[in-house]
Amino acid sequence: MAASKKKDTTSPQVKPDLLQQQAIHDEPFRPLAAVEQFSLFTPHDIYLFKEGRHFRLYEKFGAHAITYEGVQGTYFAVWAPNAAFVSVIGDFNEWDPHQHTLFVRWDESGIWEGFIPGMLEHQLYKFYIRSNNGQELRKADPYAFHAEKRPHTASITTGLDYTWHDGSWMKHRPKHNSLQSPFSVYEVHLASWRRPDAFDRETFYNYREIAHMLVPYVQEMGFTHIELLPIMEHPLDASWGYQITGYFAPTSRYGSPQDFMYFVDYCHQHNIGVLLDWVPSHFPYDDHGLYKFDGEHTYEYADMRRGFHPDWNSYIFNYGRSEVKSFLISNALYWLDKYHIDGLRVDAVASMIQLDYSRGEGQWEPNQYGGNDHLEAIQFLKELNTAVYQYFPGVQTIAEESSTYDGITRPVHLGGVGFGMKWMMGWMNDTLKYFKRDAFFRKWHQSELTFSIMYAFKENFMLPLSHDEVVHGKSPILYKMPGDDWQKFANVRLLYGYMFTHPGTKLLFMGNEFGVTHEWNDATQLNWTLLQYESHQGLQRYVKALNNLYKAEPSLHTSQFDPLGFQWLSITDHEHSIIIYIRKSKHKKDTLLIALNMTPIARHNYHVTVPLGCDWTEILNSDDTAYFGGGVINKQVIQPSKGAANGVDYTIAITIPPLGVSILKPVAG
């Protein structure tokens, strides 16, 4: 983590107004002190906060513009239970810790608060905290709505006023986000999707500018949702947003809170949902952040066997502390409430629910029953999901979870953890392992593909090909594939065809849709110049076709979590590496037949037993020349013949393209 600056300086983007009380009101009711004793908290707020059940803390903590006794100003509140002294410092008082001292509440809640007359919006501030052990700390506001652009670290007073225009989307959002609706996600890191200057990592587009470039592209490509890598404020670009210091502040790299609201609003107006990566699993040790916030382990566990994350050199939230649970659940609901976010992808869930995650013998302590389940974290996740779906029933929570823990997407009232979906990490690992193999050897490893159906319906799975698979020496998707350039593209098209016809929702990281040739680099932008080549254009057109097929065909989405919507037709032809299955909905006319050929040898006149005695037509073929294929397709309507095996099934003869997928559908009529 980048170290905090020793001296607070004013961002060139912020021009704070010094306190000028007489300029902002007519006559005060009485002369006001530098800090007035005032509170937004009711006794019920304090009760809920201490119980871990206050989920709207962003309405109380932080900095809020109010009018008190006829004077405009800002109310401040911060939780610092181990502090001996707390004040507000900033440009308005030359960062002097002794001018604006907050008052500690009498109820032992650990809350310090007060009203500062004349302090308006767009002013820099921090909390000066002197701990009980004598430490002097200068902390950013954990509930700040806006923050300085890195490397500066001060919070900024700001409101959240915005006029929304997404009423139609919000009204119909439960349908858009339904588990029976198409859910195809384009995963995006805003800084590196496009930059004003590809070679200048200090320049960024504004949220509004990005919206007008990204949304038309996502629409054209047929994706239903955008998922953003964490946009909460973070000091280090290379953390991609996963080391957060400002949980309530959209990063100022791309503009103001209202700019980000515009981004979401614009997406919704064009029928694109917005998901956020959310990180309740750990936080960094930056001086201005949550670590030892008031000189003690306030937000994190004091026992480093639970409180320190060895993989990321960061600290783990204390899920057993009620006030911390209120902070985290309030933060989740804040993005859904104030920014109309459609869902949260919860990062690193496996690291939360396993006490021995990345820890060797002696480095972790079993739970009270002697097991490795982190009971407090699991209970927190249940309470999180219960609150999200209670207050925002039209959204989804998605777990990035790699363990075999049972019931991640089972409702809480049925004994589960309550997520809407879970990343299917087993499918991703097995599938990529298989596709890396030379086609000659695939016949001995076919079970790596077919095994996923054994557990595909145990959870509500999302199939991810995410950013994690194209960094740190793993190579881009295109170059994971064996063979010459033509075979690499054919393999990628085959992979995506398998992905989009496999049960579950879909996620594809940016650049994978047109075959980037370099690992993802957060310091530059995607290599869009590749689209001058027909091979990359063809792959891009193919992904668009898959998205449109996924949205248009009920059998691919209405039963994507239902075992009755899937049936194997052929999984035993290992010698030719052929796999065939059908996807079904409640209507036979929507049935799709999917035939996969994992070798570079075309299979002509290949006989398939089918359950319907109707004519079939090919509706998508990955080898179509429009997609940079070789043109081995089924041009004619395919007529069945009566099966000899049992007198019920029927047989059709089809052509399955080399390293390709053919998708057939009954002819209407």
Side-chain angles (χ1 to χ4, degrees), residues 161-166 206-213 215 256-270 274 338-339:
D161 295 334
Y162 180 80
T163 301
W164 290 87
H165 302 90
D166 63 347
N206 181 275
Y207 288 113
R208 297 172 186 255
E209 295 172 316
I210 298 171
H212 285 271
M213 292 183 287
V215 170
S256 69
Q258 284 74 20
D259 291 334
F260 183 55
M261 291 175 184
Y262 180 92
F263 175 92
V264 178
D265 199 3
Y266 193 79
C267 288
H268 285 174
Q269 291 176 53
H270 293 83
V274 181
K338 297 299 183 181
Y339 289 89

Side-chain angles (χ1 to χ4, degrees), residues 497-516:
Y498 168 59
M499 173 185 181
F500 273 80
T501 57
H502 188 288
T505 54
K506 328 296 176 186
L507 179 140
L508 198 62
F509 184 56
M510 64 182 197
N512 288 338
E513 78 279 8
F514 64 86
V516 289

Side-chain angles (χ1 to χ4, degrees), residues 189-191 204-207 210 231 251-256 259:
H189 177 255
L190 285 179
F204 306 95
Y205 284 113
N206 181 275
Y207 288 113
I210 298 171
I231 54 85
T251 178
S252 55
R253 289 167 174 81
Y254 318 120
S256 69
D259 291 334

Side-chain angles (χ1 to χ4, degrees), residues 379-637:
Q379 181 60 31
F380 157 71
L381 291 171
K382 291 180 178 181
E383 294 177 19
L384 163 71
N385 285 313
T386 298
V388 167
Y389 286 109
Q390 176 183 351
Y391 294 108
F392 299 93
V395 307
Q396 293 290 348
T397 58
I398 305 166
E400 191 248 340
E401 205 281 318
S402 57
S403 78
T404 58
Y405 189 89
D406 184 52
I408 293 292
T409 59
R410 188 182 305 138
V412 173
H413 69 274
L414 296 178
V417 183
F419 283 95
M421 285 178 267
K422 169 183 172 176
W423 275 20
M424 198 175 188
M425 309 297 281
W427 172 88
M428 179 197 70
N429 291 326
D430 288 346
T431 299
L432 292 179
K433 182 179 179 182
Y434 177 88
F435 271 88
K436 289 176 183 178
R437 298 186 187 279
D438 186 279
F440 178 80
F441 299 104
R442 288 176 176 174
K443 59 185 176 182
W444 290 294
H445 300 276
Q446 196 151 298
S447 61
E448 290 176 359
L449 287 187
T450 59
F451 178 68
S452 64
I453 299 300
M454 296 290 291
Y455 62 93
F457 304 104
K458 288 188 64 178
E459 304 278 4
N460 299 332
F461 281 118
M462 172 178 280
L463 310 184
L465 291 175
S466 74
H467 66 279
D468 279 329
E469 304 315 308
V470 293
V471 291
H472 302 321
K474 294 181 181 179
S475 82
I477 295 292
L478 182 66
Y479 284 167
K480 296 180 191 292
M481 302 297 138
D484 57 24
D485 281 352
W486 187 91
Q487 290 191 9
K488 289 182 187 300
F489 278 97
N491 268 302
V492 173
R493 295 194 302 271
L494 175 58
L495 166 63
Y496 292 169
Y498 168 59
M499 173 185 181
F500 273 80
T501 57
H502 188 288
T505 54
K506 328 296 176 186
L507 179 140
L508 198 62
F509 184 56
M510 64 182 197
N512 288 338
E513 78 279 8
F514 64 86
V516 289
T517 55
H518 292 87
E519 285 191 337
W520 171 48
N521 180 357
D522 68 277
T524 183
Q525 69 173 10
L526 297 180
N527 186 4
W528 295 98
T529 61
L530 291 172
L531 286 171
Q532 66 184 297
Y533 302 109
E534 179 58 31
S535 54
H536 296 274
Q537 291 178 24
L539 180 57
Q540 186 186 51
R541 286 193 290 267
Y542 179 64
V543 172
K544 176 182 176 180
L546 285 173
N547 269 323
N548 290 335
L549 183 77
Y550 175 50
K551 292 189 294 186
E553 295 298 332
S555 63
L556 293 180
H557 59 258
T558 59
S559 57
Q560 57 195 343
F561 302 120
D562 184 351
L564 296 178
F566 180 91
Q567 180 184 339
W568 287 118
L569 293 185
S570 176
I571 57 172
T572 59
D573 190 359
H574 298 248
E575 185 62 30
H576 299 103
S577 297
I578 299 293
I579 298 175
I580 304 175
Y581 49 89
I582 61 175
R583 295 293 304 278
K584 300 180 288 184
S585 74
K586 60 183 179 180
H587 301 295
K588 289 185 178 181
K589 65 180 179 63
D590 296 327
T591 301
L592 297 184
L593 183 150
I594 298 95
L596 308 173
N597 180 1
M598 304 298 181
T599 73
I601 302 172
R603 305 298 175 186
H604 298 280
N605 200 34
Y606 192 92
H607 286 72
V608 183
T609 299
V610 294
L612 301 177
C614 59
D615 293 346
W616 296 78
T617 186
E618 187 173 74
I619 60 173
L620 186 67
N621 188 311
S622 65
D623 202 49
D624 194 303
T625 55
Y627 311 135
F628 194 63
V632 180
I633 62 177
N634 293 277
K635 298 180 180 179
Q636 307 299 325
V637 171

Side-chain angles (χ1 to χ4, degrees), residues 92-232:
F92 65 94
N93 63 11
E94 298 183 343
W95 304 96
D96 183 347
H98 303 294
Q99 291 190 36
H100 295 89
T101 304
L102 297 181
F103 299 90
V104 64
R105 289 183 62 91
W106 57 269
D107 51 19
E108 299 183 349
S109 62
I111 298 172
W112 298 72
E113 59 187 348
F115 170 77
I116 299 181
M119 187 170 182
L120 301 183
E121 291 188 2
H122 311 304
Q123 303 222 14
L124 303 178
Y125 73 98
K126 282 187 177 181
F127 292 116
Y128 171 84
I129 300 173
R130 185 185 302 128
S131 70
N132 285 324
N133 59 23
Q135 287 181 274
E136 295 186 7
L137 307 164
R138 290 164 175 81
K139 293 287 189 176
D141 183 355
Y143 290 85
F145 297 149
H146 195 29
E148 282 190 289
K149 182 179 175 182
R150 55 95 176 111
H152 306 299
T153 59
S155 302
I156 305 173
T157 57
T158 190
L160 296 176
D161 295 334
Y162 180 80
T163 301
W164 290 87
H165 302 90
D166 63 347
S168 177
W169 171 272
M170 297 297 285
K171 179 180 178 180
H172 299 288
R173 183 165 71 173
K175 181 179 179 181
H176 293 303
N177 291 338
S178 167
L179 296 180
Q180 287 75 47
S181 296
F183 210 100
S184 182
V185 180
Y186 188 57
E187 187 186 30
V188 177
H189 177 255
L190 285 179
S192 55
W193 186 72
R194 284 190 185 273
R195 287 181 181 270
D197 183 340
F199 304 101
D200 181 5
R201 68 179 306 156
E202 294 302 314
T203 62
F204 306 95
Y205 284 113
N206 181 275
Y207 288 113
R208 297 172 186 255
E209 295 172 316
I210 298 171
H212 285 271
M213 292 183 287
L214 179 59
V215 170
Y217 180 75
V218 170
Q219 272 191 307
E220 174 66 20
M221 289 301 299
F223 291 97
T224 63
H225 292 73
I226 295 168
E227 180 180 318
L228 301 179
L229 270 63
I231 54 85
M232 299 80 182

Side-chain angles (χ1 to χ4, degrees), residues 244-306:
I244 297 172
T245 52
Y247 272 80
F248 290 82
T251 178
S252 55
R253 289 167 174 81
Y254 318 120
S256 69
Q258 284 74 20
D259 291 334
F260 183 55
M261 291 175 184
Y262 180 92
F263 175 92
V264 178
D265 199 3
Y266 193 79
C267 288
H268 285 174
Q269 291 176 53
H270 293 83
N271 291 318
I272 301 296
V274 181
L275 313 174
L276 295 185
D277 273 15
W278 185 60
V279 190
S281 48
H282 64 112
F283 58 86
Y285 57 85
D286 292 72
D287 289 346
H288 68 288
L290 297 179
Y291 175 62
K292 284 197 169 183
F293 185 76
D294 55 9
E296 301 291 341
H297 296 288
T298 304
Y299 284 89
E300 68 274 15
Y301 285 102
D303 185 344
M304 290 297 97
R305 290 175 297 179
R306 293 195 179 192

